[in-house]
Amino acid sequence: MKHKCILLIDDEHDIHTIAELGLTLESEWSVLSALSGEEGLDVAKTQHPDAILLDAMMPHQDGIATLEQLQTTPETRSIPVIFLTAKAQAADRKKFYRSGARGIITKPFNPMTLASQISSFLSWKT
């Protein structure tokens, strides 16, 4: 099976460290990082990850706006996006799914089950 590549777009360095540790220990996936929606869009266009973990609340450009840009850009529109967020209210979850998210993982998350959660949302075999 081809090794997967996940792009994590989040403005918090600690989230990158924890998520990358969990994903590399529990899978053979590689992890790309971006600290803003704008940077994430650039990385996604050039690196073509298999999936994107996207923070909902970031300065300058939030997750919903970033997802809208990803969906309207030919190079990135088919990349599945999973929100990684502390916003777990039903109204927020509904908004994320309506925007096109394939899944929602709430913070704080368990880094040792992150790969299996992503796999479940995207129907990937682990």
Side-chain angles (χ1 to χ4, degrees):
M1 178 174 118
K2 176 185 168 255
H3 296 294
K4 301 292 186 188
C5 178
I6 304 296
L7 169 58
L8 173 58
I9 305 172
D10 196 300
D11 61 315
E12 295 181 45
H13 290 281
D14 291 346
I15 297 295
H16 286 267
T17 302
I18 293 165
E20 185 168 356
L21 178 66
L23 290 173
T24 55
L25 287 174
E26 294 300 310
S27 69
E28 294 183 353
W29 301 347
S30 59
V31 180
L32 301 169
S33 291
L35 294 170
S36 69
E38 298 89 346
E39 181 186 0
L41 186 61
D42 290 340
V43 172
K45 284 196 282 193
T46 59
Q47 300 296 314
H48 310 289
D50 296 295
I52 296 173
L53 281 179
L54 178 60
D55 184 19
M57 297 183 294
M58 295 182 289
H60 308 296
Q61 179 173 309
D62 69 7
I64 296 284
T66 301
L67 178 54
E68 288 170 358
Q69 282 193 290
L70 288 163
Q71 291 172 331
T72 58
T73 303
E75 300 93 338
T76 60
R77 73 172 48 137
S78 64
I79 301 171
V81 173
I82 297 171
F83 274 101
L84 187 61
T85 182
K87 296 179 105 180
Q89 298 294 326
D92 293 318
R93 297 176 74 79
K94 192 173 185 180
K95 180 172 63 171
F96 297 145
Y97 279 118
R98 271 199 316 258
S99 71
R102 295 281 294 275
I104 300 165
I105 297 172
T106 55
K107 295 177 184 176
F109 60 91
N110 179 343
M112 304 315 285
T113 62
L114 189 56
S116 63
Q117 287 180 285
I118 294 167
S119 295
S120 177
F121 283 125
L122 301 178
S123 300
W124 290 351
K125 294 188 188 321
T126 53

Coordinates of all heavy atoms in Angstrom, one line a residue, residues 7-17 20 32-44 52-63 66 107:
L7 N -1.4 16.6 5.3 CA -1.0 18.0 5.5 C -1.8 18.5 6.8 O -3.0 18.4 6.8 CB -1.4 18.8 4.3 CG -1.3 20.4 4.5 CD1 0.1 20.8 4.9 CD2 -1.7 21.1 3.2
L8 N -1.1 19.0 7.8 CA -1.7 19.6 8.9 C -1.6 21.1 8.8 O -0.5 21.6 8.8 CB -1.0 19.1 10.2 CG -1.4 19.7 11.5 CD1 -2.9 19.5 11.8 CD2 -0.6 19.1 12.7
I9 N -2.8 21.7 8.8 CA -2.8 23.2 8.8 C -3.4 23.6 10.2 O -4.5 23.5 10.5 CB -3.7 23.7 7.7 CG1 -3.3 23.1 6.3 CG2 -3.7 25.2 7.7 CD1 -4.2 23.4 5.2
D10 N -2.5 24.2 11.0 CA -2.9 24.6 12.3 C -1.8 25.7 12.8 O -0.7 25.6 12.5 CB -2.8 23.5 13.3 CG -3.6 23.7 14.6 OD1 -3.2 24.7 15.3 OD2 -4.5 23.0 14.9
D11 N -2.3 26.7 13.4 CA -1.4 27.8 13.9 C -0.7 27.5 15.2 O 0.1 28.3 15.6 CB -2.2 29.1 14.0 CG -3.3 29.1 15.0 OD1 -4.0 28.1 15.0 OD2 -3.4 30.0 15.8
E12 N -0.9 26.4 15.8 CA -0.3 26.0 17.1 C 0.8 25.0 16.8 O 0.6 23.9 16.4 CB -1.3 25.5 18.0 CG -2.4 26.5 18.5 CD -3.3 25.9 19.5 OE1 -2.9 25.2 20.4 OE2 -4.5 26.1 19.3
H13 N 2.1 25.4 17.2 CA 3.2 24.5 17.0 C 3.1 23.2 17.8 O 3.4 22.1 17.3 CB 4.5 25.2 17.5 CG 4.9 26.3 16.5 ND1 5.6 26.0 15.3 CD2 4.8 27.6 16.6 CE1 5.8 27.2 14.7 NE2 5.4 28.2 15.5
D14 N 2.5 23.3 19.0 CA 2.3 22.1 19.9 C 1.4 21.1 19.2 O 1.7 19.9 19.3 CB 1.7 22.4 21.2 CG 2.7 23.2 22.1 OD1 3.9 23.3 21.8 OD2 2.3 23.8 23.1
I15 N 0.4 21.5 18.5 CA -0.5 20.6 17.8 C 0.3 19.9 16.7 O 0.1 18.6 16.5 CB -1.7 21.3 17.2 CG1 -2.6 21.9 18.3 CG2 -2.5 20.4 16.3 CD1 -3.2 20.9 19.2
H16 N 1.1 20.6 16.0 CA 1.9 19.9 14.9 C 2.8 18.8 15.5 O 2.9 17.7 15.0 CB 2.8 21.0 14.2 CG 2.0 21.8 13.3 ND1 1.9 21.6 12.0 CD2 1.3 23.0 13.5 CE1 1.2 22.5 11.4 NE2 0.8 23.4 12.3
T17 N 3.5 19.2 16.7 CA 4.4 18.2 17.3 C 3.6 17.0 17.7 O 4.1 15.8 17.5 CB 5.1 18.9 18.5 OG1 5.8 20.0 18.1 CG2 6.0 17.9 19.2
E20 N 2.1 15.0 14.6 CA 3.1 14.3 13.8 C 3.7 13.1 14.6 O 3.9 12.1 14.0 CB 4.2 15.3 13.5 CG 5.3 14.7 12.5 CD 6.2 15.7 11.9 OE1 6.1 16.9 12.2 OE2 7.1 15.2 11.2
L32 N 3.1 16.8 6.4 CA 3.5 18.1 6.0 C 2.8 19.1 7.0 O 1.8 18.8 7.5 CB 3.0 18.4 4.6 CG 3.5 17.4 3.5 CD1 2.7 17.7 2.2 CD2 5.0 17.6 3.3
S33 N 3.5 20.2 7.2 CA 2.9 21.2 8.1 C 2.8 22.6 7.5 O 3.6 23.0 6.6 CB 3.9 21.4 9.3 OG 3.9 20.2 10.1
A34 N 1.7 23.3 7.9 CA 1.5 24.7 7.5 C 0.9 25.4 8.7 O 0.1 24.8 9.4 CB 0.6 24.8 6.3
L35 N 1.3 26.6 9.0 CA 0.9 27.3 10.2 C -0.2 28.3 9.9 O -0.6 29.0 10.8 CB 2.1 28.0 10.8 CG 3.2 27.1 11.4 CD1 4.4 27.9 11.7 CD2 2.7 26.3 12.5
S36 N -0.7 28.4 8.7 CA -1.8 29.3 8.3 C -2.6 28.7 7.1 O -2.1 27.8 6.4 CB -1.3 30.7 7.9 OG -0.6 30.6 6.7
G37 N -3.8 29.2 6.9 CA -4.6 28.8 5.8 C -3.9 29.1 4.5 O -3.9 28.3 3.5
E38 N -3.3 30.3 4.4 CA -2.6 30.7 3.1 C -1.4 29.7 2.8 O -1.3 29.3 1.7 CB -2.1 32.1 3.2 CG -3.2 33.1 3.4 CD -3.6 33.4 4.9 OE1 -3.2 32.6 5.8 OE2 -4.3 34.4 5.1
E39 N -0.6 29.5 3.9 CA 0.5 28.6 3.7 C 0.0 27.2 3.3 O 0.6 26.5 2.5 CB 1.4 28.6 4.9 CG 2.6 27.7 4.8 CD 3.4 27.5 6.1 OE1 3.0 28.1 7.2 OE2 4.4 26.8 6.1
G40 N -1.0 26.7 4.0 CA -1.6 25.4 3.7 C -2.0 25.2 2.3 O -1.8 24.2 1.7
L41 N -2.7 26.3 1.7 CA -3.1 26.2 0.4 C -1.9 26.1 -0.6 O -1.9 25.3 -1.5 CB -3.9 27.5 0.0 CG -4.6 27.5 -1.4 CD1 -5.6 26.3 -1.5 CD2 -5.3 28.8 -1.6
D42 N -0.9 26.8 -0.3 CA 0.3 26.7 -1.1 C 1.0 25.3 -1.1 O 1.3 24.7 -2.1 CB 1.4 27.8 -0.7 CG 1.0 29.2 -1.1 OD1 0.1 29.4 -2.0 OD2 1.5 30.1 -0.5
V43 N 1.1 24.8 0.1 CA 1.6 23.4 0.3 C 0.8 22.4 -0.4 O 1.3 21.5 -1.1 CB 1.8 23.1 1.8 CG1 2.2 21.7 2.0 CG2 2.8 24.0 2.5
A44 N -0.5 22.5 -0.2 CA -1.4 21.5 -0.8 C -1.3 21.6 -2.4 O -1.3 20.5 -3.0 CB -2.9 21.8 -0.4
I52 N -6.1 16.4 4.3 CA -5.7 17.6 5.1 C -6.4 17.6 6.4 O -7.6 17.4 6.5 CB -6.1 18.8 4.3 CG1 -5.2 18.9 3.0 CG2 -5.8 20.1 5.2 CD1 -5.6 20.0 2.1
L53 N -5.7 17.8 7.5 CA -6.2 18.1 8.8 C -6.2 19.6 9.0 O -5.1 20.2 8.9 CB -5.4 17.4 9.9 CG -5.5 15.9 10.2 CD1 -4.6 15.5 11.3 CD2 -6.9 15.6 10.6
L54 N -7.4 20.2 9.2 CA -7.5 21.6 9.2 C -8.1 22.2 10.4 O -9.2 21.8 10.8 CB -8.4 22.0 8.0 CG -8.7 23.5 7.7 CD1 -7.4 24.3 7.5 CD2 -9.6 23.6 6.5
D55 N -7.3 23.1 11.1 CA -7.8 23.8 12.3 C -8.9 24.7 11.9 O -8.9 25.4 10.8 CB -6.7 24.5 12.9 CG -7.0 25.2 14.2 OD1 -8.1 24.8 14.8 OD2 -6.3 26.1 14.6
A56 N -10.0 24.8 12.7 CA -11.1 25.7 12.3 C -10.8 27.1 12.7 O -11.3 28.0 12.0 CB -12.4 25.2 13.1
M57 N -10.1 27.3 13.8 CA -9.9 28.7 14.3 C -8.4 29.1 14.2 O -7.6 28.6 14.9 CB -10.3 28.8 15.8 CG -11.8 28.5 16.0 SD -12.3 28.7 17.7 CE -11.4 27.4 18.5
M58 N -8.2 29.9 13.2 CA -6.8 30.4 12.9 C -6.9 31.9 12.7 O -8.0 32.4 12.1 CB -6.2 29.7 11.7 CG -5.9 28.3 11.9 SD -5.1 27.5 10.5 CE -6.4 27.5 9.3
P59 N -5.9 32.7 13.0 CA -5.9 34.1 12.7 C -5.9 34.4 11.2 O -5.4 33.5 10.4 CB -4.7 34.7 13.4 CG -3.8 33.5 13.7 CD -4.7 32.3 13.7
H60 N -6.3 35.5 10.7 CA -6.3 35.9 9.3 C -7.3 35.2 8.4 O -8.1 35.8 7.8 CB -4.9 35.9 8.7 CG -3.8 36.5 9.6 ND1 -3.8 37.9 9.8 CD2 -2.8 36.1 10.3 CE1 -2.8 38.2 10.6 NE2 -2.2 37.1 10.9
Q61 N -7.2 33.9 8.4 CA -8.1 33.1 7.5 C -8.5 31.8 8.3 O -7.6 31.0 8.6 CB -7.4 32.7 6.2 CG -8.2 31.9 5.3 CD -7.5 31.7 3.9 OE1 -7.1 32.7 3.3 NE2 -7.4 30.5 3.5
D62 N -9.7 31.7 8.6 CA -10.2 30.5 9.4 C -10.3 29.3 8.5 O -10.0 29.3 7.3 CB -11.5 30.8 10.2 CG -12.7 30.9 9.3 OD1 -12.6 30.7 8.0 OD2 -13.7 31.3 9.8
G63 N -10.6 28.2 9.2 CA -10.7 26.9 8.5 C -11.7 26.8 7.4 O -11.5 26.3 6.4
T66 N -10.4 28.6 4.4 CA -9.4 27.8 3.8 C -10.0 26.7 3.0 O -9.6 26.4 1.9 CB -8.4 27.3 4.9 OG1 -7.9 28.4 5.6 CG2 -7.3 26.5 4.3
K107 N -10.4 18.7 19.5 CA -9.2 18.9 20.4 C -9.7 18.9 21.8 O -10.8 19.5 22.1 CB -8.6 20.2 20.1 CG -7.9 20.3 18.7 CD -7.4 21.7 18.5 CE -6.8 21.9 17.2 NZ -6.3 23.3 17.0

